[in-house]
Amino acid sequence: WAARERMASVIRIKPYYYIHVLDNNANITKVITGPLTFTRKDHEKVVSGPNAMIIIPPRYYCIVKNPVQRDEKGVVFDTSGNAKLRHGDTEVRFEQEPFPLYPGESLQGSVIALKVVKPNEALRLRCIRDFEDGETSRRAGDEWLWKGPGTYFPRVEVQVDEVIKATVIKPNYAIRLRAKKFCTDADGNQRAAGEEWIVRKTGAYLPGADETIVTQIRAHILTEKNAPTGFAHFFEDICEGLRGTKM
């Protein structure tokens, strides 16, 4: 049906639909959007469409491959009239008015819901292209955490590696951490690569981007009966001290 319609001389384009029309005389492909009744000329050929425009609802996004170049006036065209493309690049687009794809553009995947990061969760992010993140300069290979709660808005310079969930440290428990590279821990202490340390503070603990949890440790409760020989005398001294205090 679509092929027959493209060969017709008169094409009725519905609202929020578009077609690509090739001008064989000028070798220019232009975008025609609806609602419109388009009359095709002899030297014109409909090469794509009618296609539905891309609709991005609130809290969704999409990724466009080979996006068109834009300036303050809108889409940039070359001297012949074709839209200029950023070949090999991608662009993340968020909620906006329905839009057509220009010749050469394509949708990577589908329209996707934004990721909601829950409390006590974080996204491990990795920089794949140098960029300025506010006052922070990110370089390719850098890793950091984006902590919830909140809605994460992706960008082409950043790749999401995984979702990290906090580990709950219960009373009489602790976790052993290991540094993957030189870093600063949550308490401000500098750690060398491969160094291990223990966190005993009760509550939810979210390991940093350069930390990994080795294991969870359970506390051993020592009494006079199960304590080693050296500790038995230690307990006796404590008990004697307590008895003397009561007197």
Side-chain angles (χ1 to χ4, degrees):
W1 177 85
R4 291 197 301 270
E5 186 173 0
R6 286 198 292 268
M7 294 299 295
S9 298
V10 178
I11 301 175
R12 294 173 176 81
I13 309 172
K14 296 184 290 186
Y16 302 116
Y17 276 74
Y18 68 97
I19 60 174
H20 290 169
V21 179
L22 171 64
D23 186 331
N24 287 306
N25 291 340
N27 284 326
I28 297 173
T29 302
K30 56 186 178 181
V31 178
I32 308 296
T33 59
L36 180 72
T37 299
F38 175 74
T39 303
R40 183 177 60 83
K41 300 177 182 177
D42 291 339
H43 64 277
E44 292 177 331
K45 179 181 179 181
V46 179
V47 293
S48 177
N51 298 319
M53 291 185 180
I54 308 301
I55 299 177
I56 307 177
R59 303 187 63 79
Y60 278 74
Y61 74 98
C62 74
I63 299 176
V64 177
K65 297 172 63 177
N66 303 320
V68 293
Q69 299 181 24
R70 298 179 185 272
D71 57 16
E72 61 278 0
K73 297 181 181 179
V75 178
V76 177
F77 295 89
D78 58 21
T79 54
S80 62
N82 286 311
K84 287 186 175 182
L85 302 178
R86 289 154 44 199
H87 293 283
D89 203 353
T90 55
E91 180 178 275
V92 181
R93 298 182 185 176
F94 301 99
E95 175 190 359
Q96 57 184 278
E97 290 294 318
F99 61 90
L101 293 176
Y102 281 81
E105 289 185 319
S106 62
L107 191 64
Q108 180 176 303
S110 58
V111 178
I112 309 169
L114 291 170
K115 175 67 177 177
V116 176
V117 184
K118 301 176 183 178
N120 293 330
E121 287 187 352
L123 301 178
R124 184 190 299 276
L125 305 180
R126 180 158 51 91
C127 179
I128 58 177
R129 188 190 306 180
D130 296 354
F131 74 102
E132 297 298 322
D133 186 8
E135 298 181 355
T136 304
S137 296
R138 305 289 187 186
R139 296 294 176 261
D142 289 349
E143 292 185 350
W144 68 100
L145 296 185
W146 195 92
K147 298 180 180 180
T151 301
Y152 175 71
F153 289 82
R155 53 188 306 161
V156 296
E157 301 92 349
V158 179
Q159 177 176 306
V160 178
D161 282 346
E162 62 176 328
V163 179
I164 300 176
K165 295 185 178 180
T167 299
V168 178
I169 304 175
K170 301 177 183 179
N172 296 325
Y173 279 83
I175 56 173
R176 178 181 294 161
L177 301 174
R178 180 187 298 132
K180 295 190 291 184
K181 64 178 183 180
F182 179 82
C183 64
T184 302
D185 65 16
D187 295 326
N189 301 314
Q190 293 184 342
R191 305 291 183 179
E195 181 179 351
E196 295 187 0
W197 67 100
I198 293 176
V199 175
R200 300 180 178 87
K201 186 178 180 181
T202 303
Y205 184 83
L206 196 61
D210 301 320
E211 301 173 358
T212 181
I213 297 178
V214 179
T215 186
Q216 191 173 43
I217 306 170
R218 183 176 181 179
H220 295 280
I221 300 175
L222 299 178
T223 65
E224 291 184 60
K225 295 182 178 180
N226 64 6
T229 306
F231 282 97
H233 297 294
F234 175 74
F235 280 114
E236 290 177 2
D237 293 340
I238 292 178
C239 292
E240 288 294 334
L242 292 174
R243 283 195 291 269
T245 303
K246 290 181 181 180
M247 293 176 62

